[in-house]
Amino acid sequence: MAYVAPVEDTLFILRHVVPLSEVAATERFAEATGETAHAVLTEAGRMATDVLAPLNREGDLAPARLENGRVRSSPGFERGYAAIAEGGWIGLSSTPDHGGAGLPQVLNQAVGEYMAGACLALQLNPLLTQGQIEALEHHADEAMQATYLPKLISGEWNGTMNLTEPAAGSDVGALRTRAEPNGDGSYAITGQKIFITWGDSDVTENTCHAVLARLPDGVPGVKGISLFMVPKLIPDENGKPGVANNLKVVSLEHKIGIHGSPTCVMSFEGAQGWLIGEPHKGMAAMFTMMNAARLAVGVQGVGVGEAALQKAAAYAAEREQFGPIIRHADVRRMLATARAEVFAARAICLACAQAIDLARATGDPDCAARAAFLTPIAKAWGTDVGCRVADTGVQVHGGMGYIEETGAGQFWRDVRITPIYEGTNGIQAMDLVGRKLADGGAAGFALIDEMQAGAKAAQETLPDLAEAVWQAAESLREATAAMAEASGPDRNAGAVPFLAAFARVLGAHYHLRAAQAGDESRRILARIYVERVLPRILGDLSEARAGAADLDALPDAAFAGAAGA
């Protein structure tokens, strides 16, 4: 069975679980009606299913390659990218002032999931472009916006994000790339960047690099960093791609997965660049881009998890071992748990997107705080679920899952990068327990209040499930209060399990909503989640509150197996 975009599941969530109607009730997104959502998602699902999904295996078997300094894309990728660009999918949520459709993020992220599930390696191209569009909309001057936004939104040009250097990964402030004024308003950018996704392309006519660099008067650390637009081909006076800039692709990384996505080592050799935003404020502009990408990466995890699950379920229905293996209890356990987890992760990501939309449309600080709180959860949990479900898909295939020809292993190899890039999941968790609890956890407690109110509302129709969700939320409330008061080291040591617990309870909350609104299969799926997934918060919360003392006490040598007798 080939991948089929889960349009009906998304529409169900947007009707009954994370209501699109709340977004459409705002003046800014009044056109995002249920009819609009149905039309947009149906067409996006068709494109992903029919055009992109057939390219996924080609990208794995025939990776992007570097020839004479130019990237050559995998077979069919040019055709697939054209379908994305010509369909207007890149600018779905971008400003209409420069050619975007101006639709809400909740629809944009749903479309992103379909494209990622169909062909993650290709979807990475528009994902990075969308992030750059957001950064330019918020931080660039009018002249730069006029030059770049129409081309990026149309898909004629693609955008990249250049942060990482050989000696500056998560510690961005250690970067060495420098920017020297040219005296004409532009800057000479010199340095090397690594892990640059789609750093060159033959599916677009120009590649636009957003590059972090330090001006001569920039102070050490992140406060002295600026952001620059450095195009591969410098636009001429008419905005057309002109002369080649002084930059090049040094090499392509040989990765575990996403082989069709060219991950470049970039060298900037006095390349001409222009400041995005204010000097020394580059991290603020880059974080606009990264925050957009963080939710989108969580959505990628959900998309690949969905694709892996579809393939595993189809195989289980066909594979005969004492009858179809889909009738075996353990196989059914794996598939049912995976289906429940994918639904929960999808709902969490759409809830995050909904909060972003409401914050933008209303300016409500509570909506903004909710979006900020949900972003690290959506990114980390969406990608963790994607990895788990892809791994489960291999297991369902049995020995054939370990054979490359089945394609089951590709989903795991492709999705495994998602917990790492755009801020590792450990960094997401530390952000959650650090900055997002810095106010005492108000946004977190508001979500817990909502979950408990939802459980109370379900007590008459689903009393046992409602009680389990209410009690889990109460345990989460106690842990959130403790985490907000804990020392920094103790918070960080418990950050990942705390995030996992919060995500599991949110997932149960959304399953409970679905069970109240849906048919018998929705209620059964909710029961599977509440009885089989939700109880794991006991271990999560125990670890979250264990502190850092035992971890610090263990000698470094013990990690290498050299502990004393």
Side-chain angles (χ1 to χ4, degrees), residues 74-228:
S74 299
F77 272 34
E78 184 174 7
R79 180 177 70 255
Y81 180 83
I84 296 170
E86 292 167 8
W89 302 114
I90 298 172
L92 194 66
S93 63
S94 302
T95 172
D97 295 344
H98 295 285
L103 288 173
Q105 275 294 328
V106 73
L107 295 183
N108 184 50
Q109 294 302 328
V111 172
E113 185 206 320
Y114 303 163
M115 293 195 291
C119 186
L120 178 62
L122 179 55
Q123 186 259 353
L124 277 160
N125 183 312
L127 182 153
L128 269 298
T129 299
Q130 288 178 336
Q132 189 176 106
I133 289 168
E134 284 221 24
L136 295 179
E137 286 178 345
H138 285 85
H139 300 283
D141 60 31
E142 291 184 4
M144 182 177 287
Q145 289 181 354
T147 298
Y148 289 92
L149 284 177
K151 299 293 189 181
L152 293 167
I153 289 171
S154 70
E156 294 170 78
W157 299 355
N158 72 289
T160 73
M161 185 190 311
N162 286 245
L163 291 82
T164 308
E165 300 182 7
S170 298
D171 182 8
V172 179
L175 68 79
R176 298 177 180 176
T177 299
R178 63 186 187 275
E180 301 282 346
N182 286 325
D184 60 359
S186 69
Y187 298 81
I189 311 299
T190 301
Q192 186 179 91
K193 300 289 184 177
I194 62 174
F195 302 154
I196 308 307
T197 300
W198 282 91
D200 189 46
S201 171
D202 60 358
V203 303
T204 61
E205 66 178 13
N206 200 7
T207 297
C208 307
H209 299 283
V211 183
L212 288 177
R214 198 181 308 277
L215 290 164
D217 59 344
V219 299
V222 295
K223 293 183 178 180
I225 295 174
S226 301
L227 184 64
F228 299 87

Side-chain angles (χ1 to χ4, degrees), residues 348-362:
I348 289 170
C349 288
L350 292 176
C352 182
Q354 180 205 50
I356 291 171
D357 290 328
L358 291 173
R360 290 177 176 175
T362 67

Side-chain angles (χ1 to χ4, degrees), residues 214-506:
R214 198 181 308 277
L215 290 164
D217 59 344
V219 299
V222 295
K223 293 183 178 180
I225 295 174
S226 301
L227 184 64
F228 299 87
M229 173 62 75
V230 188
K232 179 175 75 172
L233 302 175
I234 300 173
D236 63 19
E237 63 276 8
N238 298 312
K240 302 287 187 181
V243 299
N245 213 339
N246 293 323
L247 57 87
K248 64 181 180 181
V249 181
V250 177
S251 62
L252 299 185
E253 304 289 1
H254 298 280
K255 307 185 296 292
I256 292 174
I258 53 169
H259 294 152
S261 172
T263 303
C264 303
V265 176
M266 300 295 306
S267 178
F268 298 90
E269 301 166 352
Q272 193 170 15
W274 289 263
L275 192 63
I276 299 173
E278 299 179 27
H280 318 309
K281 302 293 185 182
M283 287 307 297
M286 184 59 79
F287 267 117
T288 299
M289 190 172 182
M290 289 180 68
N291 272 331
R294 282 171 174 167
L295 171 57
V297 170
V299 168
Q300 286 183 331
V302 176
V304 179
E306 173 70 38
L309 178 54
Q310 288 186 18
K311 187 172 185 64
Y315 180 83
E318 298 169 357
R319 174 64 169 162
E320 293 277 345
Q321 291 282 281
F322 310 107
I325 66 171
I326 200 169
R327 301 306 311 171
H328 296 185
D330 188 55
V331 172
R332 294 183 76 77
R333 177 192 63 80
M334 288 189 285
L335 293 174
T337 303
R339 173 52 64 201
E341 289 234 63
V342 167
F343 177 89
R346 177 177 293 126
I348 289 170
C349 288
L350 292 176
C352 182
Q354 180 205 50
I356 291 171
D357 290 328
L358 291 173
R360 290 177 176 175
T362 67
D364 186 342
D366 290 339
C367 291
R370 179 187 178 99
F373 193 89
L374 284 173
T375 294
I377 297 175
K379 191 277 180 183
W381 198 244
T383 58
D384 281 347
V385 166
C387 288
R388 273 202 303 276
V389 173
D391 184 72
T392 296
V394 173
Q395 189 71 17
V396 169
H397 280 75
M400 293 305 296
Y402 207 66
I403 305 301
E404 281 289 356
E405 284 77 3
T406 66
Q410 182 188 345
F411 294 116
W412 184 88
R413 290 187 288 102
D414 284 355
V415 78
R416 188 58 189 84
I417 184 59
T418 60
I420 297 172
Y421 59 25
E422 301 314 323
T424 67
N425 286 0
I427 288 175
Q428 302 303 315
M430 287 187 283
D431 173 55
L432 179 67
V433 302
R435 280 178 288 189
K436 304 305 163 54
L437 292 183
D439 62 353
F445 288 124
L447 279 166
I448 293 169
D449 290 342
E450 179 183 306
M451 290 187 275
Q452 290 191 314
K456 286 183 179 179
Q459 281 180 338
E460 289 190 12
T461 54
L462 298 163
D464 54 340
L465 299 186
E467 178 63 18
V469 174
W470 194 94
Q471 292 293 347
E474 187 64 15
S475 296
L476 186 62
R477 181 186 299 278
E478 295 171 2
T480 302
M483 193 65 69
E485 295 175 359
S487 68
D490 286 343
R491 282 202 311 270
N492 289 341
V496 168
F498 175 77
L499 184 150
F502 216 110
R504 290 192 208 278
V505 184
L506 275 172

